[in-house]
Amino acid sequence: MRKLPVPEGEFWPLAGPIALVTTVDEAGHVNVAPKSWISMVARNPRLAVMGCHRQHHTARNLLTTGECVLNFPGDDLVGRTWEAHHFREPGPGEPEARGFTPVPALQVAPPRLKECRAHLECRLESVKWYGDECVLFLTVVAASADAAVLESADPAASLRPIFYLGEGTYGVIDRSAHAAPAAAEFVRYVITLKKQPGAVLSAELVRAHVAHLQQLEAAGQLVLCGPFADGLGGMVIIRAESEAAARAIAEADPFVASGAESYELRTWELSCAANNHMGMGG
Ligand SMILES: Cc1cc2nc3c(=O)[nH]c(=O)nc-3n(C[C@H](O)[C@H](O)[C@H](O)COP(=O)(O)O)c2cc1C
């Protein structure tokens, strides 16, 4: 395998998420600037870092007023985001002049930018200097995003965040994927049964269905089961080796096999103390 040195000054393997940083100066003027030397560095407290030149309004405002909002533009805002790095004297109406609409933040004085779909509101925690550059440690005090992003099946792809790859170059996240399937011990299968119009559940059929459930119970596969009180169907939650195995079990149910009920199968990942709520329990 051939490996070559990365040319001096290129750091694209360390691509940083591009944020439009809003700050306010002592006169109350809002400043908007793109920054990409940004990363989360701690969970408790929630700490982000941002690298900035000391002369930039962003650093100066943060060092005086101690607050900022990191607004994350999607790739629909690339043009406006890049344009925003051109120098502009502080004054009223900066977000609007840059093509953005300021909306109040939840916890800090600098505004969120409406056109960006996710926002981290931050307070300055500390600063470390390297010559004319500084690393600003920021405590994240509030986080918000558009409902459409949070309600999407793939929030990252819905946000389409952009990353700085070098002079005038960016990359975009347009899909996310799980690195590893959920551990089998934390997976169950949910079978929802729906009674077909006009179907009659004879005592004989119900007994056959119950015998099927008892078999599952004896095999240690039945978790929960029972009919819905509206009489229109029921739910069976099982353990199984795979989705295909769970489907075979659902289809072996006499209610389904007889055509009296249709079913829907869903793979259910458990969120519980034992798996620290899928690793997100703090
Ligand atoms: C996509 C992009 C990312 C940038 N990231 C940074 C950064 O992380 N740190 C920095 O000091 N400047 C960065 N810059 C340059 C500043 O945004 C630029 O110098 C700007 O004029 C500073 O504005 P300000 O004085 O309002 O803070 C970036 C510029 C662009 C276009």
Side-chain angles (χ1 to χ4, degrees):
M1 178 182 304
R2 222 159 61 97
K3 287 188 189 281
L4 299 173
V6 174
E8 181 85 12
E10 287 205 14
F11 43 77
W12 46 260
L14 281 176
I18 299 176
L20 284 159
V21 185
T22 45
T23 50
V24 283
D25 64 14
E26 279 177 308
H29 297 136
V30 175
N31 187 77
V32 180
K35 303 285 167 195
S36 60
W37 291 356
I38 294 176
S39 184
M40 284 304 294
V41 288
R43 191 192 289 273
N44 192 15
R46 285 202 289 175
L47 264 193
V49 291
M50 176 171 71
C52 192
H53 195 280
R54 73 187 313 154
Q55 301 292 354
H56 288 180
H57 296 110
T58 302
R60 296 200 328 235
N61 291 350
L62 254 167
L63 291 165
T64 14
T65 60
E67 293 184 334
C68 71
V69 178
L70 309 180
N71 301 275
F72 294 92
D75 63 344
D76 52 322
L77 298 174
V78 164
R80 268 182 267 181
T81 298
W82 240 268
E83 279 295 308
H85 90 281
H86 292 305
F87 180 79
R88 219 177 151 268
E89 284 297 344
E94 157 126 355
E96 294 85 346
R98 305 282 199 195
F100 296 102
T101 315
V103 292
L106 301 170
Q107 299 281 338
V108 298
R112 290 176 287 182
L113 299 176
K114 188 176 152 201
E115 291 75 10
C116 296
R117 293 189 284 274
H119 321 267
L120 296 180
E121 298 177 29
C122 304
R123 290 213 173 91
L124 183 63
E125 196 262 349
S126 56
V127 58
K128 192 155 167 45
W129 291 97
Y130 298 94
D132 282 341
E133 295 178 289
C134 58
V135 177
L136 301 148
F137 287 81
L138 306 168
T139 307
V140 178
V141 294
S144 54
D146 286 9
V149 168
L150 296 179
E151 287 166 10
S152 151
D154 187 344
S158 165
L159 182 60
R160 296 185 67 86
I162 51 175
F163 288 70
Y164 185 79
L165 296 178
E167 202 55 49
T169 314
Y170 71 94
V172 57
I173 291 184
D174 58 7
R175 86 181 173 95
S176 68
H178 286 290
E185 63 188 300
F186 296 117
V187 171
R188 302 289 182 272
Y189 296 92
V190 179
I191 302 162
T192 44
L193 297 164
K194 193 170 155 199
K195 200 172 147 201
Q196 293 303 286
V200 178
L201 303 183
S202 66
E204 190 190 347
L205 186 56
V206 175
R207 265 195 282 275
H209 166 72
V210 169
H212 164 80
L213 296 173
Q214 285 172 323
Q215 266 179 21
L216 290 173
E217 202 162 27
Q221 287 186 279
L222 186 64
V223 180
L224 287 171
C225 62
F228 293 124
D230 59 14
L232 297 177
M235 184 155 78
V236 181
I237 302 178
I238 57 169
R239 291 184 177 82
E241 275 172 25
S242 63
E243 194 182 320
R247 194 167 292 286
I249 289 171
E251 287 176 1
D253 185 328
F255 277 177
V256 175
S258 68
E261 299 202 347
S262 63
Y263 78 95
E264 202 185 309
L265 177 71
R266 307 200 58 184
T267 302
W268 194 32
E269 296 182 7
L270 300 187
S271 169
C272 54
N275 64 4
N276 188 27
H277 291 273
M278 305 177 84
M280 301 299 280

